[in-house]
Every structure is written in C-alpha cells, then in structure tokens.
Amino acid sequence: MSTQIGHFIDGKHSAGQSGRSADIFNPATGEVQDSVALASKAEVDDAVARAAEAQKAWGATNPQRRARVMMKFGALINEHMEELAELVAREHGKTIPDAKGDVQRGLEFVEVCMGAPHMLKGEYTDDGGPGIDLYSMRQPLGVVAGITPFNFPAMIPLWKMAGSLVCGNAMILKPSERVPSTAMRLAELLQEAGLPDGVLQVVNGDKEAVDALLDNETIQAVAFVGSTPIAQYIYSRATANGKRAQCFGGAKNHMIVMPDADMDKAADALVGAAYGAAGERCMAISVAVPVGEKTADTLIEKLVPRIEALKVGPYTSENDVDYGPVITAAAKERILGLVNSGVEQGAELVVDGRDFSLQGYEEGFFVGPHLFDRVTPDMDIYKEEIFGPVLTQVRTESYEEALKLTMDNPYGNGTAIYTADGDTARDFAHRVNVGMVGINFPIPVPLSYHTFGGWKKSGFGDLNQYGPDAFRFYTRTKTVTARWFSGIKEGGEFAFKQMD
C-alpha cells in the first residue's frame, strides 16, 4: 500500500499542507509506489523561519561539539548501510552494490567533517603595528539551502548536509521529489546523532519550493546539483537576490584512448563508466575518443562483446545485474529518441538496445545498452547529454585533435586519458580545460578531502563541493584589528596611514 511522504520539520515528520503531491514510481515496474507532498511557499517560509531560530544556538556551539554529531552520524550511516542502500535502490533503480557506493561516497565527506575544527581555524598576526594584533574568524552564514538531484539520493544530500551543518549553519534540504525517502531517513539519523531540532529541515517540493528558497531573504546561500539549464536558472536568481551560490550542471565527458594504451583495460573502464547506473551520472563517460583508425577499430572490437554481455535488471536481483532502469518513462523516451536521431543523422549503431525488453518487467523503465561509432560533433547524440546507457565513439587522427575536441565541448565536468606515456598524460592534465581529470582512471571523482567541481557549463560559482571549498563556501570571514593602549600616550590620529 502506498503512503504519502511529507516533510521533516523541527526534528519530526510533518504532513504536507499544500494539498499538492507527486507520484513516486518504482522504475523497475513502472508502478506508482508512494507519493510525496509538494510544499507551498508558505510552508517553505515557515520552515526557514524555524531554522533561523534553531541556528542561533547551533552556530554558537563550539566546532568540536558539532564535529561529534558528525562522528555519531557517520557511525549510524555505517550501521544502517543496508537499509539506506535499499531506499536508494527502491526509488532510483540502481543495483544494491551501486546504491551502497552512493551512500559510501557521501559518508566519506561526513568523515572529513569530523575534522571540521581544524578546517574552521582562523588566522592570527601579532604586532602588526604598535600594540596591534589582527585575527580572522570563520563564522557560519546562517540558514542555507541544498537542492539535490535524483541520481544520487544519498551522496549529494550528504555532501550538502555535512558541510553546511558542521560549519554551524542551519540547512533547508530540498531533495528530488522522485527520490525523497533516503534524505528523510538521513534526517532521522542526524537527529539520533544529536543534531538539535530545526537545524536541518527537509522540505519536499517542486519548482514552487525552489523559487521560495531562492527568493527568501533569510537564505544566505544555495547549493545545487542538476541539469545545466536549471543550474543557470538557480545561479542567476540566487545571485540576483544577493545569495552565495554554487550550482553544478550537466556534462559530456570524453575519454581519450591513445594507441599505446592497454586496450583491454580501456575497454573495461569505458563499459563501467558509460553503463554503470544506466549512465545516469554526471561523471559518466559518454564519449570515447580513440586516436587513429587502428585504435578505434581495436576499441570497438573490445567493447562489443563486453557490452553485449551486460546484464540489465531490477535491484532485487541482488548482484546478478550490471545496471537497472532509468528514472522515469519520460527519461526512457528521451534516450531512445536521441538514439534514433543518431541513426538518422548517420552514426553507426554498433550495439542496438532499442528492442530490449525484460520479461516480467515490460512496463519498467529499462533501456538496453547502445554503442555508436563514427559519431561527429554536429550530431545531437554528441551535442546533448544523453544521461542513459549510450556510449558514442568519435574517431580522431591525432592527440592534438582529440584534445581539441574535448576542450571545444561546452561542458567541462570530467575527462580521462588512457595512455602508457607519462609525457602525454602530463600534458593532457595541464592543458585540458576540464575540472576533474583522470589518467588511466575513467571516473575521476576526487576523494572527499580534495574537492569536486566542473568547469564551463558544468559549474556556476567560485567554490566547489566538499573538501576545503565546502568550509569556505559555508562560512564567511570576519577580520578583527585590535589595539590595547598599553604604554601609548599620543593623541588621536586624523590621517589614514600604513602600519608602522
């Protein structure tokens, strides 16, 4: 029997008051399994006002005590790993191993936040002038907002929650209305870990809730992950309203394969990076760029049997499937429409998954794997982010041509190169205009004590997600110049001058 998921306000579940709701589908069956309340502007504003009151005491709590909440929270995530992975898989459709990875990568930043007191230290200069000391403090912003996507129901909410809260802020989290259950459960676990009531409010909703957050004067910063058009919209509206914003959008990630690369390792990497999570990752490799005809022919030869052997099915098949369904029927229709456009525009469809159907799950949102060769940059399947299990191959004649192809693309999230030559790898890492680079590593998502962020149309804002940038984004610096008049007898000074 389906239930309606409400909101999480002041430390407890709260039913929606707007009268509006959205269906939550089981992607494997196509059936509605639950519904979620969609908050009105009034509900959002009320949650923000309550959070602002709760933040006062939380912001005044010393960083070590806030870090202890993260320590307990991390332990609870580990304790409930199986349950959280099940929630992720049930609403998103990813396999259980992939869902556990989703939770784990979020947990890793929670672990970094356990060391927040060190990251929140200010700076100090003594005797900057006669009896003058200067020091800076990192202070919380107040109330901030996190708006997170459907494709990582645990990881990205954890990136937003952990960094903002340990810095002393209150957060309004608006998860994707397609996958709300994981965020709600994480809120419960944070409460159990000792987070005071109201410091984290989970408000479910759609564009009305988003716009309410963007326009609310109390909200000081907005952190978003999603598509590029929405990232641009949120960044523009948030900054126009005087808010700090970091907004991460879409991607078209290229992997260059040099003639000297280990072709078996390159093929294995491409299959995992292109088809894992049904391609619904902003860091998925969707464009293979072999250098030279022989390299391209060999790569296709290696890829085809690997792709044809992929197992597609529901997460309930445990570890016996490689990827599951896409998120909605509309997503499936869009992916297949782009595949058809590729055929019509002259690309060679080497592996055709358009007729894929899974017995017993015919109404599910499953998409078979596809592989295109001889794709050109003017084709829609190259220009658009497909966000599905589709790998395209663009042939190039030289390393410089392959590099230029990658650099000319309007997106700049992630990229990779497979080569045995250190000079080529080093040149690529230094020259390519992409935010995250892999060398013989297909999905270069940095560990959580570094930082995650794309360039060009993949990222808007000056500071990245997690790592040191999170502590910069979620705090502001206050600098104090202090003088104590011990032994100073002169009168007032009327000219603004440099320090002696």
Side-chain angles (χ1 to χ4, degrees):
M1 182 178 177
S2 66
T3 59
Q4 182 169 105
I5 297 167
H7 314 294
F8 193 83
I9 306 295
D10 291 350
K12 57 184 180 294
H13 290 274
S14 171
Q17 303 298 317
S18 71
R20 298 189 309 120
S21 64
D23 291 334
I24 302 171
F25 288 89
N26 180 334
T29 65
E31 297 172 340
V32 174
Q33 56 185 353
D34 289 310
S35 67
V36 60
L38 301 176
S40 65
K41 182 181 185 301
E43 288 175 288
V44 172
D45 290 344
D46 180 64
V48 172
R50 292 168 181 270
E53 285 301 310
Q55 189 274 332
K56 294 174 184 176
W58 178 244
T61 302
N62 73 60
Q64 193 169 358
R65 291 185 180 276
R66 297 199 299 257
R68 287 174 185 163
V69 173
M70 291 297 139
M71 293 178 193
K72 182 67 183 295
F73 185 40
L76 288 169
I77 291 172
N78 268 315
E79 183 182 330
H80 293 273
M81 178 66 74
E82 298 289 338
E83 175 196 355
L84 290 166
E86 173 84 18
L87 287 173
V88 170
R90 182 173 179 266
E91 289 183 346
H92 177 277
K94 20 178 115 177
T95 65
I96 290 294
D98 196 23
K100 287 181 179 177
D102 187 333
V103 179
Q104 178 64 35
R105 291 309 294 260
L107 170 60
E108 288 169 8
F109 185 51
V110 174
E111 292 169 342
V112 170
C113 289
M114 296 174 191
H118 172 70
M119 300 300 296
L120 294 173
K121 289 188 300 186
E123 299 169 322
Y124 189 92
T125 298
D126 65 312
D127 288 328
I132 297 173
D133 302 322
L134 298 95
Y135 60 94
S136 64
M137 299 178 282
R138 286 197 173 277
Q139 296 189 322
L141 302 177
V143 184
V144 300
I147 302 167
T148 59
F150 74 83
N151 58 326
F152 284 96
M155 181 181 78
I156 298 178
L158 284 169
W159 289 355
K160 305 307 181 193
M161 290 189 290
S164 62
L165 297 175
V166 82
C167 287
N169 301 288
M171 168 161 272
I172 311 296
L173 177 68
K174 195 218 80 70
S176 168
E177 62 273 26
R178 299 170 186 169
V179 291
S181 294
T182 305
M184 297 288 279
R185 183 65 179 125
L186 289 171
E188 292 176 344
L189 294 179
L190 257 173
Q191 205 73 17
E192 187 177 341
L195 189 73
D197 292 352
V199 175
L200 174 70
Q201 313 277 49
V202 181
V203 178
N204 288 303
D206 53 7
K207 187 177 184 296
E208 182 176 341
V210 169
D211 286 346
L213 291 170
L214 298 178
D215 294 340
N216 187 292
E217 292 183 359
T218 301
I219 298 291
Q220 298 298 301
V222 177
F224 169 82
V225 178
S227 69
T228 288
I230 305 302
Q232 289 177 304
Y233 169 78
I234 289 177
Y235 182 78
S236 298
R237 189 157 175 168
T239 53
N241 285 327
K243 304 182 193 309
R244 185 176 293 187
Q246 55 168 214
C247 299
F248 295 96
K252 198 70 180 180
N253 305 318
H254 296 58
M255 186 174 114
I256 295 175
V257 182
M258 297 298 293
D260 62 359
D262 183 315
M263 289 298 163
D264 285 305
K265 287 185 170 59
D268 286 340
L270 278 168
V271 170
Y275 301 99
E280 292 179 322
R281 295 171 175 160
C282 68
M283 288 294 286
I285 294 290
S286 56
V287 186
V289 189
V291 175
E293 289 296 314
K294 182 179 178 182
T295 308
D297 290 342
T298 303
L299 192 57
I300 288 290
E301 181 184 323
K302 298 284 187 182
L303 285 169
V304 169
R306 287 168 166 81
I307 295 168
E308 290 179 340
L310 288 172
K311 294 182 178 179
V312 183
Y315 81 89
T316 48
S317 297
E318 300 294 334
N319 298 341
D320 195 40
V321 295
D322 296 303
Y323 73 84
V326 297
I327 189 68
T328 61
K332 176 179 178 178
E333 183 179 350
R334 179 180 177 276
I335 293 163
L336 294 178
L338 282 166
V339 169
N340 287 330
S341 80
V343 174
E344 292 166 4
Q345 292 170 16
E348 181 182 337
L349 185 54
V350 181
V351 177
D352 186 350
R354 289 176 292 180
D355 293 331
F356 179 85
S357 181
L358 190 63
Q359 186 175 1
Y361 294 89
E362 289 82 2
E363 300 303 314
F365 311 140
F366 292 97
V367 179
H370 296 77
L371 172 64
F372 278 101
D373 191 13
R374 303 187 186 279
V375 173
T376 57
D378 60 318
M379 295 177 180
D380 290 340
I381 53 170
Y382 178 80
K383 292 187 291 185
E384 295 195 32
E385 183 180 27
I386 300 174
F387 224 58
V390 182
L391 177 63
T392 61
Q393 177 164 283
V394 179
R395 294 176 177 236
T396 57
E397 296 181 1
S398 67
Y399 164 70
E400 290 294 336
E401 183 186 347
L403 176 62
K404 185 177 186 301
L405 181 78
T406 305
M407 293 182 69
D408 286 350
N409 193 271
Y411 297 105
N413 214 38
T415 188
I417 188 170
Y418 267 64
T419 181
D421 183 70
D423 181 56
T424 302
R426 190 172 187 275
D427 180 83
F428 180 73
H430 279 75
R431 290 171 62 192
V432 72
N433 57 352
V434 173
M436 291 167 282
V437 181
I439 297 172
N440 297 322
F441 199 91
I443 302 183
V445 176
L447 292 173
S448 293
Y449 42 84
H450 284 267
T451 190
F452 179 110
W455 291 10
K456 298 184 281 186
K457 287 191 174 182
S458 293
F460 303 86
D462 297 324
L463 294 170
N464 288 340
Q465 307 184 83
Y466 72 66
D469 268 13
F471 298 96
R472 298 184 187 105
F473 181 77
Y474 288 116
T475 60
R476 55 178 138 227
T477 302
K478 179 184 288 181
T479 305
V480 179
T481 303
R483 179 166 64 184
W484 299 100
F485 294 101
S486 175
I488 298 176
K489 307 301 183 186
E490 293 83 357
E493 295 178 353
F494 296 92
F496 186 81
K497 65 177 185 177
Q498 295 182 350
M499 297 291 184
D500 295 332

